[in-house]
Amino acid sequence: VSDASGCSMIALLHTGAAKFPPNLLSRSRQAVSPLFPAGVLEGFFSIVSRKLASHGFGASMAAMSSFPPQRYHYFLVLDFEATCDKPQIHPQEIIEFPILKLNGRTMEIESTFHMYVQPVVHPQLTPFCTELTGIIQGMVDGQPSLQQVLERVDEWMAKEGLLDPSVKSIFVTCGDWDLKVMLPGQCQYLGLPVADYFKQWINLKKAYSFAMGSWPKNGLLDMNKGLNLQHIGRPHSGIDDCKNIANIMKTLAHRGFIFKQTSKPF
């Protein structure tokens, strides 16, 4: 596989990363290590590792090397479901409020906040809404109001240590609608304040487009397809959508992507 200069091995690894078995990577390192300075070789194998990960060897590569550190200690994955119909009803009201606390170092889920919310302006869910979200009337009847749920979110944030100024966390949504339109719009309608931690977020669609070079027109479905991931649960279930967002983030992080805030400061 290698001539006296080691160049054939280098060419094989560089051009055939998708076909090169990850379990041979360490053997290749040993074969060419006497021929190159350590720093050069480590840089080269780092590139090969990323190439392998981009061709579906993410899990194998994760076991072999850690991914770059993120800018945040925690990512708070959020995906609202709201009252809806065709034509659209106004105002829309949040009826499912899920948050997953994702560790920025391991990209694993550490804690979950999940509540259903009683709509007050249009308390009766439409058939369209139930068909789209899977949320039936009995799941929202008698549930806390949005104001009460927001109070419980704040309690959960405090319990999880997320209100500590030394802890860096940021919300992550699939699009800008949840925190740019839905929450501030309903809070304004009800005369409720919007906590500062809801005013900065990462739009996963933008992050994915930066990482992969294409815009996911169909949201989570396109992102899962682009990363060869299985879709988790039911589309338009808030908690299931959060799990898909977390899975996509974990996959991108293992490929070396660093997540950054995409929203403009309020």
Side-chain angles (χ1 to χ4, degrees):
V1 220
S2 173
D3 58 24
S5 67
C7 292
S8 298
M9 175 64 78
I10 297 296
L12 172 64
L13 289 172
H14 186 69
T15 60
K19 299 178 182 179
F20 192 73
N23 64 343
L24 293 184
L25 196 58
S26 60
R27 290 167 58 186
S28 305
R29 187 191 302 265
Q30 293 170 4
V32 299
S33 59
L35 304 170
F36 296 92
V40 172
L41 195 61
E42 288 304 316
F44 167 74
F45 276 96
S46 175
I47 293 171
V48 172
S49 296
R50 290 197 297 272
K51 280 182 172 289
L52 286 168
S54 71
H55 287 281
F57 292 106
S60 301
M61 298 316 301
M64 296 174 67
S65 61
S66 60
F67 51 89
Q70 296 291 330
R71 296 184 171 193
Y72 297 92
H73 297 114
Y74 297 100
F75 297 104
L76 305 176
V77 179
L78 176 149
D79 189 273
F80 295 138
E81 297 305 324
T83 53
C84 52
D85 201 3
K86 280 193 173 182
Q88 188 60 273
I89 57 175
H90 297 284
Q92 284 188 275
E93 299 171 85
I94 295 168
I95 54 175
E96 186 180 5
F97 204 127
I99 307 172
L100 298 181
K101 179 189 177 188
L102 202 64
N103 186 301
R105 181 177 55 82
T106 64
M107 301 305 287
E108 297 292 342
I109 298 167
E110 285 193 354
S111 182
T112 301
F113 178 93
H114 186 212
M115 293 189 71
Y116 291 99
V117 190
Q118 169 76 61
V120 293
V121 182
H122 299 103
Q124 193 70 30
L125 301 183
T126 64
F128 175 84
C129 183
T130 294
E131 183 179 353
L132 180 70
T133 66
I135 299 173
I136 62 173
Q137 192 65 41
M139 294 166 72
V140 297
D141 283 346
Q143 294 301 310
S145 66
L146 179 63
Q147 180 176 0
Q148 292 169 321
V149 170
L150 289 173
E151 290 170 357
R152 295 190 190 181
V153 168
D154 203 66
E155 292 169 1
W156 177 79
M157 296 275 287
K159 179 175 70 72
E160 295 294 329
L162 297 166
L163 301 184
D164 183 336
S166 66
V167 175
K168 293 185 66 178
S169 65
I170 189 167
F171 279 90
V172 183
T173 58
C174 184
D176 290 322
W177 174 83
D178 300 80
L179 293 177
K180 187 175 183 179
V181 177
M182 188 61 238
L183 182 64
Q186 189 177 357
C187 284
Q188 182 179 27
Y189 183 89
L190 297 173
L192 301 174
V194 178
D196 286 342
Y197 46 70
F198 286 126
K199 296 179 180 179
Q200 304 87 33
W201 64 89
I202 294 169
N203 178 344
L204 184 64
K205 292 180 182 178
K206 290 182 180 177
Y208 177 91
S209 69
F210 296 152
M212 303 295 288
S214 63
W215 182 262
K217 293 181 181 179
N218 295 312
L220 293 174
L221 296 177
D222 279 359
M223 288 186 272
N224 278 326
K225 184 178 179 181
L227 295 170
N228 296 315
L229 298 174
Q230 285 289 108
H231 191 86
I232 299 169
R234 184 190 196 283
H236 300 296
S237 156
I239 190 65
D240 287 347
D241 284 353
C242 283
K243 292 174 183 176
N244 281 286
I245 292 170
N247 200 28
I248 291 165
M249 291 185 69
K250 182 178 180 180
T251 303
L252 291 176
H254 275 284
R255 295 185 178 198
F257 185 74
I258 307 295
F259 290 92
K260 302 173 185 177
Q261 177 179 330
T262 62
S263 65
K264 295 181 180 178
F266 273 56

